[in-house]
Structure formats: structure tokens, C-alpha cells
Amino acid sequence: RRGRLLQSTLVVLQVSLAVVLLIGAGLLTGTLSRLLDRPTGFDGSRVLTTHLSLPQSRYESPVKSRAFYDQVIARLQALRGVEAAGGTWALPFSNDYASTTYVRPDQPDAAAIAISTAPVRPEYFRSIGMRLVRGREFSSSDDTDAPAVAVVNETLARLLWPNGNAVGQRLTDPEDRADQVEIVGIVNDTRRRSLADEVAPEIYLPHAQATWDGSLYITVRTTEDPLQYADAVRAQIRAIDALLPIGRQRTLDEVVLDSVRTQRFRARIVAAMSAAAALLTLLGIYSLQFVYVNSQRRELAVRRALGAHPARLARSIVNAGLKLTAIGLLFGLVTTAALSSALRPLLFGLSPVDPATYAVPIALFLA
């Protein structure tokens, strides 16, 4: 009897631990799935990205940097199978990020808002599958000799001009009222830094009018698998500057997936632990039932000989296992609910007490 009590206690603890891990794995997997289902605002399925950083020793002025990128983009656009080639200083979901404060010139006393800012090349929006909502995109004529222009996203347009059209309006630097840009276009909203974040106000500036450093993400939209074009892209860059180091080449979809690598790692680790715990628990339940039945064979035989129906004997055995499993499930559910506050910061789009996630381990062990 003492041995059976110890075995029963171990099975209850196994079930409890496995329930906690299975629910945790379900919540983390559900979070990852919901994050990946969120729209990014662009189509990165056939986009190859290549990061370049021009050394200042050979590209000491913005004029030289822009001339280099003009040649690179022209060569890439001429490649067979390339639909569009552009570039941006701050690729979505990369570590590069900048913001600038702007105000409306006709509202000088309004609070300046921080706006995500990125210089981009012409054809950039088309190269990553963004949509022009109104106005126009940048062109090669938007250079240092032309008036300063900008393209904004829908969120910024609604924020500053909720009752009108932002195209043709102006934004100014609150520190220098003479520094103004005219909005010539509106593009669709995109997520920039995290799939969990809400869309933020964004402004895009022509790369030819920017005085930023010489780094740029080249974006190439292809008709086939973009990684097949990686060698061709490197060859075109080296044809212009053979000494230039070429950064990592990835598809834009890979860049997005890398942004959730922490969530993926958590989900995989907990899922692996949960699978092992569930297997051990099922083996524990089976083993306890086996020992119980084996030790009761003589009694079961006597009861059968005295007229007990086989189904009644089977029910008594199954009920003994169900009782331990139910106790373990109860302890596991209570423990998980108690840990819900610790789980909440790791979740997105799911409650720590999501009924569907809780139902899976319950159904598994009862079955």
C-alpha cells in the first residue's frame, strides 16, 4: 500500500507538471502564430535585401555615395528577372531606426511629434510591395536642386490632417521653421520594428536629398526565388567597387522572421520540454495501471468467478487511473492560473487563461 501511494503521488505530480508545460507551450505557440498572422504592410516573399556600408575614406561626400548607389541600382534594374530595385536606410524589422520631430507650419504652438524617418530610393515602395494611396512616389528629379519633398504613411496623414488631404501640405522642423518639406504622396501603413507594435507615424525622404551616412539596404524584387539572385547582385556591386565589403543577404521574409526569433526559441524549447513531460506522464499513468492490475489479478479473478461483470471490473480499474489523472489536472490548472501574471508579458493576442489552450492537455490525459 505504501508503494502504491508513492507511485500515485508521482503520477499526480507528473500530470501537474506536464499540464503546466503543455499549456505554456500552447500559449507561446499561439502567440507566435498570431504575430506571424499580423499584416506587415508589404510583401517580402520575393524581395532580396543586401546591406552596404560605404567607407568614408573613399566615399567622403554624399555626392559620391549617391553616385555609387545610382550605378548599382541601374545595373540591378537591368538584370533579367528583376521587377524593381530600390533601397532604404532603415529596412523594416532591421536594427536601423531613426525618428525626427515635425509640426505643421500653420500650428506653430502644437506639440511636436516624433516620426519614424527613413531616406529611400525611387522604386523602393514598389520593390517591397508597398501601395501608393495618393499622390506620387519619388523620382530621379527629387535631388538636391529640387524642393524638399516627402512621402508619409496613412497614419501620419490621418493624425495631422484628419479632415483633409495631406498631399500638398507641409511639415517643418520645430527647431528651424525655414526647414520645410512638402508632402507629395501617401503610402500604406507598415509595421517597422515589431509585429506586436501598432503602426506608428512614418515619413520617407528622397535618398538624393538626404545627408545621412553611406549605408543602405538594397531591395530587389524578383520574379523567382530571390536568393537565386544573390550572386548576381554581388557581382554587379563588385563590378563598380571590387573592394567594398558586402553585408548579409537575406529575403525580406527572413528579416521579419528574425524579428520573432526570441518568441520562436521560447516556443520550441517549451514545446520540446512539454512533449517529453507528456510522454513520461502517459508512461507513468500506464505503468501505475499495469502495476495496479498485476497486483489485483487474484482479487479480480475471485470477483469474476463470483459473477462480477467484466465491464464493471474494467470500470473500476479505469476509474482508479482517472481519479489520479483528475487530481493531477486540477493541481496543474491551478498552478498555471497562479502563474498567469508571469506569462502575460510573453503573450500577444491571447489570454493567459485561454480556454481552448487549457482544453488540449485535459483532453489528452483524460483520453
Side-chain angles (χ1 to χ4, degrees):
R1 184 172 298 171
R2 185 179 301 170
R4 274 203 300 273
L5 179 61
L6 177 61
Q7 292 168 344
S8 300
T9 302
L10 290 175
V11 168
V12 168
L13 292 175
Q14 280 182 326
V15 172
S16 301
L17 177 61
V19 165
V20 172
L21 288 173
L22 282 170
I23 292 176
L27 292 173
L28 292 177
T29 302
T31 288
L32 181 61
S33 176
R34 280 163 173 76
L35 283 174
L36 293 176
D37 285 342
R38 296 201 89 188
T40 58
F42 52 81
D43 176 17
S45 58
R46 290 182 288 111
V47 180
L48 178 69
T49 69
T50 305
H51 187 242
L52 299 178
S53 184
L54 304 184
Q56 289 188 349
S57 59
R58 289 186 289 120
Y59 298 90
E60 67 276 4
S61 69
V63 175
K64 285 189 175 182
S65 298
R66 287 194 292 267
F68 169 80
Y69 286 120
D70 286 342
Q71 295 181 65
V72 170
I73 298 297
R75 283 175 169 268
L76 295 180
Q77 288 176 333
L79 289 176
R80 184 177 181 180
V82 171
E83 292 183 350
T88 178
W89 182 86
L91 190 72
F93 297 93
S94 68
N95 292 326
D96 296 292
Y97 177 82
S99 65
T100 310
T101 55
Y102 284 101
V103 294
R104 286 175 49 169
D106 58 340
Q107 296 178 348
D109 297 328
I113 58 174
I115 303 172
S116 175
T117 309
V120 301
R121 301 279 310 186
E123 293 286 307
Y124 166 71
F125 302 119
R126 182 165 168 255
S127 70
I128 70 167
M130 290 179 64
R131 178 173 48 87
L132 182 67
V133 177
R134 187 172 294 175
R136 69 172 178 87
E137 301 180 18
F138 297 132
S139 67
S140 57
S141 61
D142 294 317
D143 55 20
T144 52
D145 296 327
V149 294
V151 170
V152 300
N153 69 345
E154 293 174 290
T155 295
L156 180 56
R158 285 192 302 268
L159 179 65
L160 293 183
W161 292 277
N163 300 318
N165 182 11
V167 175
Q169 304 290 346
R170 291 182 174 274
L171 290 172
T172 185
D173 184 343
E175 303 294 331
D176 182 6
R177 299 289 176 172
D179 183 9
Q180 296 188 6
V181 295
E182 179 185 353
I183 298 172
V184 296
I186 302 173
V187 292
N188 67 283
D189 289 333
T190 62
R191 287 186 169 80
R192 173 162 295 278
R193 304 185 71 183
S194 168
L195 287 169
D197 291 345
E198 295 304 319
V199 175
E202 291 184 351
I203 186 169
Y204 302 91
L205 306 174
H207 184 252
Q209 294 183 352
T211 57
W212 297 31
D213 62 40
S215 62
L216 198 74
Y217 288 91
I218 302 296
T219 54
V220 179
R221 173 167 290 279
T222 63
T223 56
E224 302 173 41
D225 178 10
L227 290 177
Q228 295 179 0
Y229 291 79
D231 291 340
V233 170
R234 285 197 299 268
Q236 296 302 322
I237 295 170
R238 292 204 168 105
I240 303 171
D241 187 342
L243 301 178
L244 183 67
I246 298 175
R248 184 180 178 186
Q249 293 181 290
R250 297 180 291 173
T251 67
L252 190 51
D253 278 351
E254 288 176 334
V255 177
V256 176
L257 285 176
D258 280 351
S259 72
V260 293
R261 60 181 178 272
T262 300
Q263 291 89 335
R264 288 163 60 196
F265 178 75
R266 287 177 187 153
R268 287 175 178 174
I269 291 295
V270 178
M273 294 172 61
S274 302
L279 178 61
L280 289 174
T281 302
L282 294 174
L283 287 173
I285 294 172
Y286 170 80
S287 301
L288 185 65
Q289 291 292 83
F290 178 85
V291 171
Y292 174 75
V293 172
N294 203 45
S295 66
Q296 299 295 314
R297 287 176 66 190
R298 194 180 289 270
E299 179 184 339
L300 293 171
V302 171
R303 292 171 63 186
R304 179 71 184 91
L306 293 175
H309 196 277
R312 182 178 179 182
L313 297 178
R315 273 199 305 273
S316 68
I317 295 170
V318 171
N319 286 340
L322 282 175
K323 187 183 299 182
L324 295 177
T325 303
I327 295 173
L329 286 172
L330 180 61
F331 279 122
L333 293 174
V334 170
T335 303
T336 307
L339 295 173
S340 61
S341 59
L343 286 172
R344 194 177 299 276
L346 305 178
L347 304 181
F348 174 81
L350 272 178
S351 167
V353 288
D354 179 58
T357 306
Y358 276 54
V360 173
I362 295 174
L364 172 66
F365 291 124
L366 290 181

